[in-house]
Amino acid sequence: MKKTLLIALLTGIFATAAHAQSSVTLYGLIDTGLTYTSNQKETGSTAGHSKFGMTDASINPDRFGLRGSEDLGGGLKAMFALENGFTLTNGALGQHGLLFGRQAFAGLSSDQLGTVTFGRQYDSVVDYLAPLAGAGAAKGGVFFGHPYDNDNLQNTMRINNAVKYASPNYNGWRFGSLYGFSNAAGGFSDNRAYSFGTSYNNGPFRFAASYLQLNNGGSDANLAGATDSLVNPAGQVTGSDSTFSAGQQRTFGAGFDYAFGPATVGFVFTETKLENATGINNTSASPIPLANSSLRFDNYEVNAVYNVTRAFAVTGSYTFTDGSSSLAGASSPKWNQFNLLLDYALSRRTDVYVEGQFQHVSGGGTVFTADINGLSPSATSSQVAVTAGLRTRF
């Protein structure tokens, strides 16, 4: 009898210990509000109309996910993440209907050597540079994004078939890289991606730099490659997870911020160059045709966050985007955008906010009108948006 009790006790202890070495977490975020938008372009017309309606994801896109890890011993862990994006206002799946369109990866993590993961993942611009930008999810969010999210600071685009490495933290310094395979026989560079970046965060000063390159992204040349495309039954590309459809996209940038007392100020510069570009996909209207042109966006952003109290914060930014293109009548588009966000935390997980944006475009001709990221394009060169919202995390 005593032996039976001892065996049962030891079995229970070992089972508990084994269970404690593994963990799975369900998490999520919901962000919704009411938004006024000026000059919204009406479908099938060139006229602009004011709009007041329910929106979602003005700061952070809605999501829920599972992440887990298993301790393999010796500082080594197996890990995974499956993250779904959705639209709260109608319950639809995000990322063109993908079940785990935001992230889906598995890998190994070592305390000494770093982390290697495989799957659908964020690039190094998102991982390293975005936390310093007002256009990134950590500060201002979606509506603060640079025109068309041309530099992917708002992680409009993910990379499929990706192998990613992230280093350990060396006294505040980190670095990493990513490669997205084309998965095409005889077309190694046909819809592939690669990216790398670094950051330093130690004390009040933060710095980051990153680079991203896509080859033949956002086209129907290789639908199983590094970026997604939507194709209708007739075989036509009707949408894309990639911000642009282009023969080549190169994005690089750097930035810093500095915290003193309750305030943080920062500056970010990014540049995106497109060659043989056929369209801009990241717009609520139909894709903007680019007629196989070249296009460049230089983004200069200043941002600031001031914590008035522990519960109340004010975030603001200004971005000047200097563009150039080979398109007739739109060779030198220039965007000016001002953003302001007032956020009040009701608890550690729930906050309410009011934010506003103003964007003005010059030199865009009929190709580039005002188009605040995440909202419908304007029929004119100017657009204003004001949002009152609620955000909660679980």
Side-chain angles (χ1 to χ4, degrees):
M1 180 66 178
K2 290 182 179 179
K3 289 183 178 180
T4 302
L5 290 174
L6 180 60
I7 292 171
L9 179 61
L10 292 174
T11 301
I13 291 174
F14 286 128
T16 302
H19 178 73
Q21 291 174 349
S22 301
S23 66
V24 176
T25 301
L26 172 67
Y27 65 94
L29 183 148
I30 295 170
D31 182 350
T32 187
L34 300 175
T35 300
Y36 164 81
T37 310
S38 70
N39 299 330
Q40 181 173 312
K41 188 181 296 183
E42 184 179 356
T43 303
S45 170
T46 58
H49 299 274
S50 297
K51 176 184 176 181
F52 182 72
M54 180 174 290
T55 55
D56 66 285
S58 66
I59 301 178
N60 302 121
D62 304 324
R63 84 286 303 262
F64 72 86
L66 293 168
R67 55 174 170 250
S69 66
E70 179 187 8
D71 190 347
L72 302 176
L76 184 66
K77 292 181 180 180
M79 57 184 296
F80 75 89
L82 301 170
E83 188 171 286
N84 166 269
F86 65 94
T87 302
L88 183 72
T89 52
N90 60 13
L93 288 170
Q95 291 77 52
H96 308 303
L98 298 178
L99 178 59
F100 295 114
R102 289 186 58 83
Q103 297 184 87
F105 64 82
L108 295 173
S109 176
S110 166
D111 293 341
Q112 293 78 30
L113 301 177
T115 302
V116 177
T117 48
F118 307 84
R120 178 176 170 87
Q121 303 181 75
Y122 297 139
D123 64 79
S124 298
V125 174
V126 177
D127 288 341
Y128 296 96
L129 185 57
L132 277 64
K139 289 186 178 180
V142 174
F143 292 175
F144 279 51
H146 300 161
Y148 313 111
D149 192 24
N150 64 80
D151 45 21
N152 207 41
L153 289 174
Q154 249 305 307
N155 58 282
T156 294
M157 174 183 61
R158 282 82 174 169
I159 307 299
N160 296 327
N161 314 321
V163 179
K164 179 193 285 191
Y165 170 75
S167 75
N169 189 324
Y170 297 106
N171 295 319
W173 179 51
R174 299 185 304 121
F175 59 90
S177 60
L178 171 145
Y179 188 90
F181 287 87
S182 70
N183 276 10
F188 190 76
S189 63
D190 187 7
N191 194 3
R192 70 170 178 178
Y194 55 90
S195 182
F196 49 86
T198 186
S199 67
Y200 178 78
N201 182 4
N202 193 354
F205 178 73
R206 298 193 300 175
F207 169 82
S210 57
Y211 178 82
L212 167 67
Q213 180 163 327
L214 306 174
N215 295 98
N216 294 322
S219 71
D220 62 348
N222 174 21
L223 301 179
T227 61
D228 292 332
S229 293
L230 282 180
V231 179
N232 65 18
Q236 300 169 317
V237 175
T238 58
S240 177
D241 189 49
S242 180
T243 307
F244 305 100
S245 295
Q248 184 183 80
Q249 175 183 339
R250 291 177 292 168
T251 297
F252 68 90
F256 69 89
D257 65 13
Y258 188 86
F260 49 96
T264 301
V265 295
F267 173 78
V268 169
F269 169 78
T270 62
E271 181 177 89
T272 293
K273 289 184 176 181
L274 306 171
E275 300 296 337
N276 300 318
T278 58
I280 299 176
N281 305 313
N282 186 32
T283 173
S284 298
S286 300
I288 299 173
L290 296 178
N292 214 42
S293 64
S294 61
L295 184 62
R296 191 195 79 236
F297 299 88
D298 289 336
N299 305 285
Y300 304 84
E301 180 199 290
V302 291
N303 61 72
V305 180
Y306 184 74
N307 295 293
V308 181
T309 68
R310 293 182 63 181
F312 179 50
V314 179
T315 302
S317 74
Y318 164 71
T319 300
F320 171 66
T321 300
D322 185 14
S324 67
S325 79
S326 60
L327 292 167
S331 60
S332 301
K334 302 183 188 305
W335 290 261
N336 289 272
Q337 182 165 329
F338 297 86
N339 309 283
L340 183 65
L341 168 67
L342 310 179
D343 183 85
Y344 185 81
L346 301 175
S347 69
R348 291 182 62 185
R349 297 189 176 190
T350 302
D351 56 311
V352 292
Y353 61 86
V354 176
E355 68 171 315
Q357 285 77 32
F358 170 75
Q359 185 186 103
H360 177 74
V361 184
S362 61
T366 59
V367 179
F368 303 109
T369 63
D371 191 348
I372 294 172
N373 189 53
L375 295 173
S376 296
S378 172
T380 69
S381 60
S382 297
Q383 190 171 51
V384 173
V386 178
T387 302
L390 166 72
R391 179 174 52 171
T392 187
R393 307 162 182 84
F394 61 89

